[in-house]
Amino acid sequence: MNNGELLVSKMPDVLHAARQIRQGELTSVALVTACLQRIKTHNPTLNAFGDVYDIAALQEAGDCDRELAQGRLRGPLHGVPFGIKDLFSTQGLRTTKGSLTSLDYVPESDAPIIARLKAAGAIILGKTATTEFGWTGSSVSRVFGHGRNPWNHALTSGGSSSGSAISVAARMVPAALGSDGGGSVRIPGAFCGIFALKGSLGRIPTWPWSATEMLSHAGPLTRTVRDSALLFDILSGPDARDHQALPEKGESYLARCDVPLGKVRVRFSPTLFNTPVAPVIASLVAQAVAKIADGLPVALQVGNLDWPNPFDTFNTLWTGGRGIAYGAALVDKSGQLDPGFATLISRAAELDLAAYLQALKQRAAFASQVHALFDEVDFLLTPTLPILPFAADRHTPAGQPAGNSGVEWARWTPFTWPFNLSGNPAATVPCGFTADGLPVGLQVIGRRYADGEVLQFCAALEALMPWDNRQPPGVA
């Protein structure tokens, strides 16, 4: 059995794949071949990928193998294949943004995150599914088919980085890129049982301009914390096209993960804004927190926070940003839009400038409360989500009352988007499984700009309660 055949049953993570290729234990062609086989096997059911560049990817993998034989290494990701969320601009490659209105759009330039991935030697294997313009936390899609959870195919994977999370959890690729404007890497990360970090606002530069740029972050979805740390090392840093991009971080996040954790102050809030949490989630998260308190050097505080619910603030900023920016351009294409996105556009038309400016003021006030907490603690822990995955063809869980906002999905994700408002780094870590085999996520939030500290803490959590040894049924 050759390396490619072996990999069909055991897909390496990013660090292992890159090291095996460098050391000659694995060829890039074998790895890409294995990924393509897994996509062929699982994608018809799970709907993770749209366009797949099988011929081009195999050709590039062959080039990588020949270059390595000649002693040339493109970078730390030499020959490793990735999935790319179909919101990111990819030069010469179709970028549908998950919309029937953009099926023929081909960007002329790469987004910074794509250029840096290529410069590190990675291979773009294909574009992964996203909801229409990334507007919702579900996995409903008219372009790709509804994204399905690898742990239970009847259920949603979460979104909007649905295909990226599915592809990583189902071992179609070692890792994938996503974006997060309200939870879009953490929601599917939690539902699919993988690791995902939304870095500090501006940590990884974004471009082209986003209609909700003050909320939107770019970053990887991975199986392990160290894979994420490596990718944050590669993808972070200023870019002239993103005026929010942060300066050089001045440290290696991957190296930080190997530094033993010192005494840290941790606050566990079992819920936020008095949101009911499913009992099985509350129990598994509480068990994980107890294990953390027993196994790591933490000073633990337990208690809910008395922050006011900023839902209306987020609704105004998200609905106004997405709806007004896209509304005028899509006014003649409403029949091609997801009905939920069309509703968002109509709600945006009802907003005025005074309401939008007031929401910006309210956002600043809420963010100040969040930042003040981190004068007293190093990390805040919450459940990532208060509910388990629901049916794959729904935007909201059955039983959620119909609402009148443009972001009804934000009502079932109340623990993720508040930290887009504040800009804090926030990660989801798998922390247990239900009796039915569904993963549950624990959210780790750090002080603003402390991405390295969050990764270091999450690496300690992974060592304490490892998760990557468990795979979805039918994938192992």
Side-chain angles (χ1 to χ4, degrees), residues 247-293:
E248 294 291 348
K249 58 191 185 304
E251 67 171 325
S252 165
Y253 292 145
L254 182 58
R256 183 69 177 265
C257 289
D258 293 324
V259 176
L261 189 68
K263 188 77 171 181
V264 292
R265 303 165 297 169
V266 175
R267 174 73 175 262
F268 171 46
S269 184
T271 187
L272 294 176
F273 320 124
N274 297 314
T275 303
V277 177
V280 65
I281 293 176
S283 176
L284 287 170
V285 169
Q287 291 174 40
V289 171
K291 186 178 292 186
I292 292 167

Side-chain angles (χ1 to χ4, degrees), residues 1 11 16 104 116 119 154 204 229 300 304 327 336 338 365 380 395 443:
M1 193 180 296
M11 180 65 63
H16 284 92
D104 298 323
R116 291 177 182 182
I204 295 175
L300 180 65
N304 292 325
Q336 296 176 269
D338 181 289
L380 170 65
H395 285 304
Q443 185 172 217

Side-chain angles (χ1 to χ4, degrees), residues 19-375:
R19 184 173 69 244
Q20 288 170 352
I21 289 172
R22 286 196 304 271
Q23 295 177 348
E25 300 169 3
L26 171 67
T27 65
S28 178
V29 167
L31 180 56
V32 168
T33 300
C35 290
L36 291 172
Q37 180 59 52
R38 294 186 69 83
I39 292 170
K40 181 179 179 180
T41 300
H42 299 294
N43 200 57
T45 301
L46 299 178
N47 298 323
F49 277 90
D51 293 341
V52 177
Y53 315 119
D54 48 356
I55 296 175
L58 283 169
Q59 289 176 341
E60 189 164 2
D63 291 343
C64 285
D65 290 337
R66 285 186 288 274
E67 290 170 17
L68 189 64
Q70 296 167 0
R72 288 185 289 157
L73 190 71
R74 295 185 179 185
L77 300 177
H78 183 98
V80 179
F82 279 73
I84 307 297
K85 185 178 182 179
D86 204 15
L87 281 183
F88 290 117
S89 290
T90 45
Q91 183 179 21
L93 301 175
R94 185 173 70 143
T95 301
T96 72
K97 302 181 181 180
S99 178
L100 295 175
T101 68
S102 302
L103 294 182
D104 298 323
Y105 174 60
V106 179
E108 296 181 358
S109 301
D110 282 329
I113 193 172
I114 304 301
R116 291 177 182 182
L117 194 73
K118 288 180 177 179
I123 296 172
I124 296 179
L125 196 63
K127 301 298 281 289
T128 58
T130 177
T131 58
E132 190 156 35
F133 300 109
W135 79 273
T136 178
S138 73
S139 57
V140 172
S141 175
R142 291 182 166 192
V143 173
F144 306 100
H146 306 327
R148 297 186 176 274
N149 197 308
W151 300 90
N152 183 328
H153 299 172
L155 304 179
T156 182
S157 65
S160 64
S161 304
S162 52
S164 291
I166 295 166
S167 67
V168 174
R171 275 54 174 178
M172 297 180 187
V173 285
L177 298 186
S179 58
D180 189 314
S184 289
V185 299
R186 289 163 291 155
I187 297 165
F191 277 171
C192 292
I194 62 173
F195 180 78
L197 168 65
K198 175 196 77 66
S200 299
L201 181 63
R203 180 61 66 201
I204 295 175
T206 59
W207 178 88
W209 175 85
S210 166
T212 49
E213 65 164 357
M214 81 293 285
L215 302 173
S216 296
H217 307 61
L221 294 94
T222 61
R223 284 163 41 197
T224 71
V225 176
R226 282 175 173 77
D227 276 1
S228 184
L230 170 66
L231 293 172
F232 267 87
D233 278 343
I234 291 168
L235 303 173
S236 298
D239 186 285
R241 292 168 291 180
D242 181 1
H243 72 98
Q244 297 183 118
L246 297 177
E248 294 291 348
K249 58 191 185 304
E251 67 171 325
S252 165
Y253 292 145
L254 182 58
R256 183 69 177 265
C257 289
D258 293 324
V259 176
L261 189 68
K263 188 77 171 181
V264 292
R265 303 165 297 169
V266 175
R267 174 73 175 262
F268 171 46
S269 184
T271 187
L272 294 176
F273 320 124
N274 297 314
T275 303
V277 177
V280 65
I281 293 176
S283 176
L284 287 170
V285 169
Q287 291 174 40
V289 171
K291 186 178 292 186
I292 292 167
D294 185 58
L296 296 179
V298 304
L300 180 65
Q301 308 170 26
V302 179
N304 292 325
L305 299 162
D306 60 356
W307 295 338
N309 190 337
F311 177 87
D312 290 340
T313 300
F314 181 76
N315 176 36
T316 299
L317 296 177
W318 185 267
T319 301
R322 283 286 193 271
I324 294 173
Y326 292 118
L330 299 175
V331 66
D332 297 327
K333 301 179 179 181
S334 59
Q336 296 176 269
L337 298 175
D338 181 289
F341 189 66
T343 297
L344 180 145
I345 290 175
S346 67
R347 295 290 177 269
E350 300 167 3
L351 295 173
D352 59 25
L353 180 59
Y356 192 83
L357 293 176
Q358 179 65 17
L360 290 175
K361 180 179 178 181
Q362 292 167 344
R363 178 202 181 192
F366 174 75
S368 294
Q369 285 187 296
V370 174
H371 302 323
L373 172 69
F374 290 96
D375 290 336

